[in-house]
Amino acid sequence: MSDSDHKKLEERTSKAEREAKLIEDELEKLASGDLSFVNDPRLEKLMTDNEKLKHRLEILENAIKATSSSSGKAAKPITRKRPTLVTDISSVEGNVCIVDELKNVFSLGILSAYPDLEDPPVVITLSSNNPKFGDYQCNSAMPISQLLKAKNVKTNPREVANNILNKTPSSPLIERVEVAGAGFLNIYLNKAFVEHVLNCVLRFGIKPPPVKRERVIVDFSSPNIAKEMHVGHLRSTIIGESVCRVLEFLNHDVLRINHLGDWGTQFGMLIAHLQDKFPNFKTHSPPISDLQAFYKESKKRFDEDEEFKKRAYACVVQLQSGQPDYIAAWKLICEVSRREFQKIYDRLDIKIIDRGESFYQSRMDVVVKELKDKGLLEEDEGRLIMWGNAEKHDGIPLTVVKSDGGYTYDTSDMATIKQRVEEEKGDRFIYVTDAGQATHFVVIDACARRAGILKEGQNVEHVGFGVVLGEDKKKFKTRSGDTIKLIDLLDEGLKRSLDKLVEKGRDKVLTPEELKKAQEAVAYGCIKYADLSHNRVNDYVFSFDKMLDDKGNTAVYLLYALTRIRSIARTAQISIEQLLEEAQKTGFKFSHEAEWKLGKVLLRFPEVILKVANDLYLHSLCEYLYEISSTFTEFYDKCYCVEKDKEGKIVKIIYERLMLCEVTARIMEKCLDILGIKTVSKM
Ligand code: ARG
């Protein structure tokens, strides 16, 4: 494909993207207003258009992917491996992923209805909250009808939908399927199936959906020595930790790496300043608790004093050549910083391996030589640079060697990816940093691929995030305009969370120990949840008031909801053993609409987890958690679990509802655990 074709393709993609977005906005507008939109003929049209566009988008995106890989490999032949379907409810366990199974079922129907279509789209989506649309939908008929039209086959989406339906095998997951509107296939789930799955979760616990085990390297937090760890690093720490947790839940082999900025020219001035201020630093550990101030002092001297500057440069040379005294000074400075960082990690319960830029020092020599030998480096005003694309020199190249012979952030990341591929034998390489570094990682990916370090299927995955803003929507700062120290921020969280608990009179009910536990769970939980519940690519406004509001979508709200659910069985004085015994005897049976609704939400846990592990957008897990909690409230409003008489004596216990409470609590706990939020039994 020529460049101009490629460009055209990209233009068409972004046009389709814009159109799809417009339609989605329109749909959202429709849906957010009153409910009359359900009968609005425009709705169906928009939905069809939307599906079509989404499909077109997918095709275009795939085309771009296929053409932009530099090696120009031929497209993979379509493999039509027939999936094995679930044929018997009892063979299914609690970790079944509904969307995937439905995809398998409908792909068989589609392939047998249209055997001549290459790669027909199998689109399964969750239906909107309206029972009229079924529980899930297969929306393949619209795009398939489009594909057929392109081949001059006369048809319409409804006809296609009927065809698919006729050829789709029956499945124990599905009660019935209806063709609706312009060609939607509305899928209604089988109650007995859902009952069985939830019973499995109750009896055998929450199990992860099965996936191929991978080794995943997650590079996150990564503050810089002697500089402050700022809110950006806090975001990276919170998001990175959750990414690790979701992958670990799926049994992947996860390596957490703190890619500390612990190497570079700034150490020259720090060491020179250390030598002056604490000449006997080797025998007496100097009291530099405030390393930032120390950094500022040395920077000031560096900028103002030529003599000092010269010495600083000399120190860098000594350090890089491994002079023991200089290494000792460097280690000392790193240690002071690490101790500070550790305080934050301890509070947030983060366990991460320190492996900073210095680790790659000798590996940088190796990778630079490799790139030179392969003829991939070009001279540019004394520097050695590398382009991601041999033919097309647009965008920015990496600076691999500076004109003074030194290395850069780029060099270290080339050595880093090489180490992670070749020594760590990773399958997935994740980097959690602010969105500002997105281009850097795109170029690293392209160069590593060009150098043959990354193989097909291996990618540099950048998990980017927006900036943290203050409530004034400006850069997050203290009132006096200083940057906020993370420790102070966490302290303020603790204080505010205690105020909140006291305001609710919890200090009178809880023991001092319970109160402290609740205070910490609420404070750190709220900070984490506020971060994770927003789409990470957006900027977000840091507001203690909002994150501690127990009526909003916050960690406090969820923690309260969970303790309330947990207290239901406690009040009924039913132990988990009794519940399990009953479950074994009677199983699960939905008798009320609200139970059924809650059951279907709980059933989605595996599919939500798989999605998050794939796209690493944790806000979908938060949205799911919030949905569980609100669906539970609806259920609890309508269905009593325990019946009491006028004196308050328990006269009847509805075990099946208590079972539903138990499964709800377990799934909520698992979600919170993945988000890194500690739960408490009382608060
Ligand atoms: N230290 C860098 C910063 O503060 C982040 C490092 C991210 N990791 C990496 N391999 N480049 O922005």
Side-chain angles (χ1 to χ4, degrees):
M1 194 178 254
S2 75
D3 276 359
S4 76
D5 283 348
H6 193 207
K7 197 146 192 84
K8 263 188 229 149
L9 206 56
E10 267 178 355
E11 271 162 20
R12 273 164 59 200
T13 312
S14 65
K15 182 157 174 275
E17 237 163 19
R18 281 195 306 270
E19 284 175 32
K21 176 87 188 49
L22 277 179
I23 293 186
E24 236 159 57
D25 287 352
E26 193 67 24
L27 278 170
E28 213 164 85
K29 259 189 253 154
L30 270 170
S32 62
D34 59 6
L35 277 177
S36 60
F37 75 91
V38 174
N39 299 316
D40 190 330
R42 284 185 304 158
L43 180 66
E44 221 148 59
K45 160 119 193 2
L46 282 171
M47 284 174 87
T48 326
D49 285 355
N50 197 24
E51 279 316 319
K52 273 192 225 155
L53 275 169
K54 273 196 194 144
H55 177 60
R56 238 172 72 204
L57 202 61
E58 210 169 289
I59 293 175
L60 287 168
E61 272 169 359
N62 284 340
I64 287 188
K65 254 188 235 149
T67 58
S68 58
S69 56
S70 50
S71 49
K73 294 158 249 111
K76 258 206 226 144
I78 329 160
T79 41
R80 291 207 167 154
K81 225 181 94 209
R82 286 176 71 84
T84 350
L85 298 185
V86 170
T87 49
D88 169 20
I89 290 187
S90 63
S91 70
V92 170
E93 292 176 35
N95 56 359
V96 62
C97 176
I98 310 302
V99 166
D100 284 354
E101 182 60 19
L102 292 177
K103 246 184 206 158
N104 287 343
V105 173
F106 280 86
S107 73
L108 285 183
I110 291 169
L111 287 180
S112 92
Y114 298 101
D116 298 334
L117 278 187
E118 250 178 55
D119 257 346
V122 184
V123 191
I124 305 286
T125 55
L126 187 70
S127 293
S128 63
N129 243 337
N130 190 329
K132 247 182 68 173
F133 299 139
D135 301 314
Y136 287 82
Q137 286 185 322
C138 171
N139 295 340
S140 294
M142 287 61 94
I144 288 180
S145 139
Q146 237 15 54
L147 288 177
L148 292 169
K149 267 185 205 149
K151 292 186 162 210
N152 286 327
V153 182
K154 258 205 156 148
T155 186
N156 61 57
R158 257 195 103 88
E159 187 180 45
V160 175
N162 276 305
N163 260 344
I164 296 174
L165 183 54
N166 288 336
K167 300 278 184 179
T168 299
S170 67
S171 159
L173 272 70
I174 302 175
E175 189 214 45
R176 70 196 149 92
V177 182
E178 278 169 6
V179 177
F184 299 99
L185 286 159
N186 293 347
I187 307 165
Y188 294 84
L189 291 179
N190 177 8
K191 272 203 177 103
F193 163 76
V194 182
E195 287 162 351
H196 168 79
V197 171
L198 296 185
N199 200 9
C200 286
V201 177
L202 184 66
R203 291 179 55 196
F204 311 116
I206 299 179
K207 296 214 179 102
V211 289
K212 189 175 152 273
R213 185 176 160 90
E214 288 182 322
R215 177 150 170 87
V216 193
I217 321 293
V218 187
D219 175 321
F220 70 103
S221 196
S222 309
N224 303 314
I225 300 287
K227 297 193 194 153
E228 56 160 336
M229 185 175 183
H230 53 72
V231 274
H233 295 121
L234 179 66
R235 285 207 83 177
S236 173
T237 307
I238 291 172
I239 297 170
E241 175 65 20
S242 278
V243 163
C244 293
R245 281 170 180 253
V246 76
L247 295 170
E248 270 165 353
F249 173 60
L250 289 171
N251 286 324
H252 291 306
D253 174 12
V254 176
L255 179 63
R256 294 162 157 79
I257 290 187
N258 201 0
H259 191 83
L260 294 159
D262 65 353
W263 204 240
T265 41
Q266 82 266 28
F267 282 98
M269 61 182 201
L270 286 167
I271 293 172
H273 190 51
L274 184 74
Q275 289 170 336
D276 291 348
K277 265 196 102 171
F278 305 103
N280 59 351
F281 68 88
K282 275 192 297 179
T283 44
H284 291 86
S285 201
I288 23 176
S289 62
D290 192 348
L291 204 51
Q292 264 111 271
F294 188 80
Y295 181 89
K296 275 189 198 149
E297 281 164 29
S298 64
K299 179 87 174 78
K300 192 159 180 278
R301 290 183 68 192
F302 184 85
D303 291 339
E304 291 170 0
D305 178 350
E306 261 322 296
E307 219 26 59
F308 182 80
K309 195 173 197 164
K310 266 197 207 131
R311 253 185 64 218
Y313 280 129
C315 285
V316 178
V317 177
Q318 297 288 345
L319 174 67
Q320 300 209 331
S321 63
Q323 269 292 325
D325 278 3
Y326 291 80
I327 293 282
W330 166 74
K331 276 199 175 140
L332 201 146
I333 294 165
C334 290
E335 246 335 284
V336 177
S337 255
R338 283 210 178 98
R339 272 203 301 271
E340 289 305 302
F341 300 154
Q342 195 55 43
K343 286 183 194 156
I344 308 272
Y345 297 140
D346 287 345
R347 295 236 203 152
L348 299 176
D349 192 23
I350 309 282
K351 295 192 178 61
I352 187 168
I353 294 176
D354 284 338
R355 189 189 281 173
E357 290 171 21
S358 63
F359 174 86
Y360 302 92
Q361 180 61 11
S362 64
R363 289 171 177 83
M364 287 199 267
D365 296 335
V366 176
V367 80
V368 169
K369 181 169 183 313
E370 180 182 330
L371 299 178
K372 259 190 205 154
D373 290 349
K374 286 185 175 162
L376 299 170
L377 301 186
E378 285 169 39
E379 264 217 51
D380 176 76
E381 293 173 10
R383 311 177 296 156
L384 290 180
I385 59 165
M386 177 175 177
W387 294 94
N389 185 329
E391 289 91 46
K392 223 170 61 184
H393 288 185
D394 56 2
I396 23 172
L398 296 181
T399 299
V400 178
V401 183
K402 289 192 293 187
S403 50
D404 66 1
Y407 297 150
T408 69
Y409 189 54
D410 295 348
T411 328
S412 79
D413 265 328
M414 284 302 278
T416 302
I417 186 67
K418 185 174 159 68
Q419 196 273 341
R420 291 179 190 175
V421 173
E422 293 171 7
E423 294 177 48
E424 295 300 341
K425 308 226 177 311
D427 299 300
R428 245 179 123 170
F429 311 94
I430 296 172
Y431 299 77
V432 189
T433 78
D434 60 282
Q437 297 194 37
T439 316
H440 167 75
F441 288 108
V442 168
V443 184
I444 291 289
D445 181 283
C447 289
R449 202 169 298 286
R450 199 180 152 206
I453 295 170
L454 283 174
K455 307 283 176 322
E456 208 194 320
Q458 293 177 324
N459 300 296
V460 164
E461 271 181 80
H462 180 231
V463 173
F465 52 81
V467 293
V468 184
L469 304 174
E471 289 187 78
D472 53 2
K473 305 269 165 70
K474 296 215 187 86
K475 218 171 163 212
F476 197 48
K477 288 251 156 73
T478 59
R479 274 208 194 106
S480 56
D482 290 336
T483 38
I484 292 169
K485 277 204 169 137
L486 285 192
I487 274 290
D488 296 344
L489 190 78
L490 298 183
D491 280 341
E492 167 141 18
L494 281 177
K495 186 187 156 293
R496 297 244 202 163
S497 116
L498 184 63
D499 289 350
K500 193 95 196 169
L501 289 161
V502 171
E503 188 187 300
K504 286 181 157 266
R506 305 311 292 161
D507 52 329
K508 305 205 173 59
V509 193
L510 301 177
T511 68
E513 254 162 51
E514 285 169 340
L515 187 67
K516 185 161 183 284
K517 265 198 173 161
Q519 177 194 10
E520 288 177 359
V522 168
Y524 303 142
C526 280
I527 295 176
K528 290 179 182 179
Y529 191 82
D531 195 320
L532 297 168
S533 59
H534 291 88
N535 184 328
R536 60 176 160 77
V537 297
N538 299 333
D539 295 348
Y540 102 92
V541 176
F542 192 99
S543 155
F544 274 123
D545 287 338
K546 280 219 182 81
M547 64 178 76
L548 286 164
D549 178 2
D550 53 20
K551 281 170 219 80
N553 180 7
T554 61
V556 224
Y557 164 79
L558 293 165
L559 289 173
Y560 269 124
L562 182 64
T563 48
R564 231 171 280 137
I565 299 172
R566 280 279 175 227
S567 73
I568 297 168
R570 237 193 344 254
T571 330
Q573 292 169 342
I574 298 297
S575 68
I576 182 72
E577 289 75 24
Q578 280 168 289
L579 212 53
L580 287 176
E581 211 171 286
E582 282 297 318
Q584 214 157 0
K585 265 196 288 189
T586 61
F588 231 86
K589 274 268 167 296
F590 295 120
S591 53
H592 191 286
E593 246 339 279
E595 297 172 9
W596 176 222
K597 188 172 169 191
L598 177 60
K600 283 185 292 191
V601 173
L602 296 174
L603 188 75
R604 271 182 17 232
F605 176 69
E607 86 191 36
V608 174
I609 290 293
L610 289 176
K611 181 181 177 299
V612 172
N614 181 43
D615 64 22
L616 309 177
Y617 279 99
L618 287 140
H619 70 281
S620 0
L621 187 61
C622 298
E623 275 165 15
Y624 176 63
L625 188 51
Y626 190 67
E627 187 183 347
I628 296 179
S629 163
S630 41
T631 317
F632 181 86
T633 308
E634 207 181 306
F635 152 80
Y636 198 59
D637 278 351
K638 291 179 181 159
C639 306
Y640 52 83
C641 300
V642 177
E643 221 178 302
K644 290 182 183 165
D645 64 11
K646 280 204 191 81
E647 279 85 57
K649 226 180 84 200
I650 296 172
V651 287
K652 190 177 169 195
I653 287 171
I654 302 172
Y655 282 97
E656 284 155 16
R657 292 185 177 161
L658 287 182
M659 292 175 203
L660 211 45
C661 294
E662 176 67 25
V663 175
T664 305
R666 281 191 197 172
I667 293 184
M668 284 184 74
E669 275 160 1
K670 191 77 234 171
C671 292
L672 287 165
D673 179 49
I674 289 172
L675 298 172
I677 298 172
K678 288 219 165 86
T679 57
V680 281
S681 49
K682 273 189 191 168
M683 66 182 266

